[in-house]
Amino acid sequence: MSITSGSDGTVAEKRDRFFALADSLRDSLWRGDALGRVRVSTVSSGYPSLDAELPGQGWNTSALTEILWGQQGGGEFRILAPALKALSQTGKAIVLLGSPHDLIAPALDQLGIDVRNVLIVNAEKPADRLWTAEQILKSGSAGALISWNPTAKAEHLRRLQVAAASADGLTFILRPANTRLEASPAPLRLQCDPAPFGQLSVDVFKRRGPSAASPVLLPAFFPPSMKRALDRAQRSTAVPVETPYVDSLVSSPVAPRSSVPTLA
């Protein structure tokens, strides 16, 4: 039926409904050669160059994001640190599920993450991790859930995607790079690899729209004490000092000064 038929009042109502529908569909449709837009809320990654490559200019809430690592402990956690810092400082809970790293409070503190709002959940069996992740998402109690599940299958990821859609926080699953060619329902997939001079290379290979033209290089991260030492060294010599990045979240022989709540 034409929106111009009927009385003036009816025409106006039809026109308003038509444009309202068109507006609601605008972000659900996109050209294959254009970066998609999203209507859900987003949280900035903390890296402007990476935000520019993400639909919605940040991490999407109510959606599953898959992060693959080329070398475990190569900084894949660091890509999430700025967003987790912002969430934790607003009092929202950060749940780390099945981490292969020995996460220590001083390391999280160096990244600016408020450890009082971090909960570490240990689940050895993949099935237990999947069930636990679903329950956390269904409860809506977490500002962000980060789950390590290297053996998750497509059907498991689909269950997480469904659960994430009903949650109001960020949902990430971390898997090894050799799963890149496997089917995944996650609307956003990235691969992280160490780069020279402590940088982190991020390849956004699946998103709403075309793959990124080239990987995004994120700057190196140095703990404050190391940064001060490097600054002193550079002031005392004309030769720039470059030090490889050491992942601050890998096991440390130094006993932590404070603890992070853990559920076994």
Side-chain angles (χ1 to χ4, degrees):
M1 180 182 294
S2 171
I3 65 172
T4 60
S5 63
S7 64
D8 292 342
T10 303
V11 171
E13 291 175 1
K14 289 181 179 179
R15 184 176 59 247
D16 291 343
R17 288 199 298 270
F18 173 80
F19 286 115
L21 176 61
D23 185 64
S24 67
L25 292 175
R26 182 176 302 163
D27 293 330
S28 298
L29 303 173
W30 72 94
R31 291 171 55 92
D33 59 352
L35 186 61
R37 294 179 295 178
V38 294
R39 296 183 66 86
V40 298
S41 62
T42 60
V43 176
S44 172
S45 70
Y47 302 100
S49 58
L50 179 58
D51 281 349
E53 300 293 341
L54 301 178
Q57 305 295 297
W59 302 121
N60 292 346
T61 60
S62 305
L64 177 65
T65 296
E66 188 176 355
I67 298 178
L68 310 183
W69 65 78
Q71 176 185 335
Q72 185 169 298
E76 69 275 3
F77 189 93
R78 180 161 48 106
I79 188 177
L80 303 177
L84 299 185
K85 172 184 175 180
L87 288 172
S88 70
Q89 292 181 351
T90 61
K92 294 184 178 180
I94 308 298
V95 181
L96 309 179
L97 173 59
S99 171
H101 308 295
D102 291 334
L103 302 175
I104 59 175
L108 296 175
D109 184 66
Q110 286 180 341
L111 294 172
I113 300 173
D114 189 341
V115 296
R116 295 173 297 180
N117 296 316
V118 175
L119 179 63
I120 296 176
V121 181
N122 295 322
E124 296 297 328
K125 298 180 180 178
D128 292 341
R129 294 185 188 182
L130 176 62
W131 182 87
T132 302
E134 288 182 302
Q135 302 313 305
I136 292 171
L137 293 173
K138 290 177 181 178
S139 72
S141 58
L145 168 66
I146 298 92
S147 175
W148 286 260
N149 203 331
T151 60
K153 303 301 181 183
E155 58 269 25
H156 302 152
L157 299 177
R158 192 170 297 108
R159 286 170 55 180
L160 286 181
Q161 169 65 1
V162 171
S166 62
D168 192 32
L170 302 177
T171 306
F172 300 95
I173 184 166
L174 276 65
R175 306 171 70 210
N178 59 16
T179 63
R180 176 165 176 157
L181 297 181
E182 295 180 5
S184 172
L188 179 63
R189 304 182 75 196
L190 310 90
Q191 179 171 330
C192 298
D193 292 287
F197 307 121
Q199 298 176 101
L200 188 65
S201 174
V202 181
D203 182 13
V204 184
F205 65 91
K206 181 185 177 182
R207 60 181 179 178
R208 294 179 63 184
S211 299
S214 60
V216 178
L217 281 179
L218 303 186
F221 168 79
F222 299 106
S225 57
M226 184 182 295
K227 182 65 167 62
R228 289 192 294 269
L230 289 174
D231 289 342
R232 288 195 298 269
Q234 288 183 322
R235 285 195 297 268
S236 62
T237 179
V239 180
V241 177
E242 298 286 2
T243 302
Y245 170 78
V246 178
D247 197 326
S248 62
L249 296 179
V250 177
S251 305
S252 171
V254 181
R257 294 189 296 273
S258 57
S259 61
V260 178
T262 303
L263 294 182

